[in-house]
Amino acid sequence: RMAATLFAPGAGRAARRGSALHALFQRIGWIEEDDPARLAGEWLASEPDLPAETRREVLAAFSRAVAAPGIRAALSRPAGRAELWREQAFELSLEGVWISGRFDSVVVSRDSDGRMVSATVLDFKSDRVAAAAVGARAAIYGPQSHHIAPRSPAIPDYPSPPSERDC
């Protein structure tokens, strides 16, 4: 992150909100097999020290997100043989730069022989963005998945080249 972002007024509150929302999304496996209301209740019980306002904001954002058709589709089990990897750590060297990270969620689809046919990386973001600016913000984050996922040892048999859906 840039220093201006880290030290901006309200940055700590925004970071707490983002971390809390991320923690709540981490609880979801396949959304059709989980009860988001139950997961939210469990999360609330696990965060007694989080300010009440932050808890309300996080729950509202989570409820809106899991109700959105596109997000529900991304969190749903795809047809066929699929695996869900959550919080998959990785380390790699890319163009001389060492990168350590963690994929929030990876949906791996396999063929009948067990070979990976696709891997879709889901990266949970909690930035507050106006609807008109969502595409521009996605363009900032997209290269992370496009460049890192196909080369990561965390996804050793990633099909190459990555598809546009994976980017």
Side-chain angles (χ1 to χ4, degrees):
R1 289 189 196 165
M2 294 180 8
T5 303
L6 285 173
F7 300 112
R13 184 169 176 262
R16 262 193 318 275
R17 178 188 174 277
S19 294
L21 189 55
H22 188 275
L24 185 47
F25 269 98
Q26 284 177 310
R27 293 173 178 267
I28 297 175
W30 301 117
I31 197 161
E32 65 274 8
E33 297 171 9
D34 284 328
D35 176 6
R38 179 186 54 77
L39 296 176
E42 290 172 359
W43 172 80
L44 271 174
S46 73
E47 296 287 347
D49 298 329
L50 202 61
E53 182 178 353
T54 302
R55 291 162 54 114
R56 281 190 301 274
E57 288 177 2
V58 168
L59 288 173
F62 179 74
S63 295
R64 283 190 307 273
V66 297
I71 292 175
R72 285 195 73 82
L75 298 173
S76 293
R77 180 188 293 274
R81 193 169 163 194
E83 302 167 16
L84 178 62
W85 301 346
R86 297 190 285 182
E87 296 301 312
Q88 179 68 49
F90 67 87
E91 294 194 31
L92 74 144
S93 177
L94 183 61
E95 298 174 9
V97 176
W98 189 259
I99 301 171
S100 296
R102 186 171 297 275
F103 294 121
D104 295 337
S105 184
V106 181
V107 178
V108 176
S109 295
R110 298 190 181 276
D111 66 16
S112 60
D113 293 325
R115 287 185 303 263
M116 182 183 293
V117 294
S118 71
T120 303
V121 175
L122 302 177
D123 192 8
F124 305 140
K125 297 297 183 193
S126 59
D127 304 29
R128 292 183 187 220
V129 181
V134 168
R137 185 62 57 94
I140 292 169
Y141 291 121
Q144 293 174 346
S145 295
H146 181 72
H147 294 293
I148 294 172
R151 295 161 180 87
S152 174
I155 311 176
D157 53 348
Y158 193 97
S160 186
S163 70
E164 285 304 310
R165 179 180 154 91
D166 295 329
C167 299

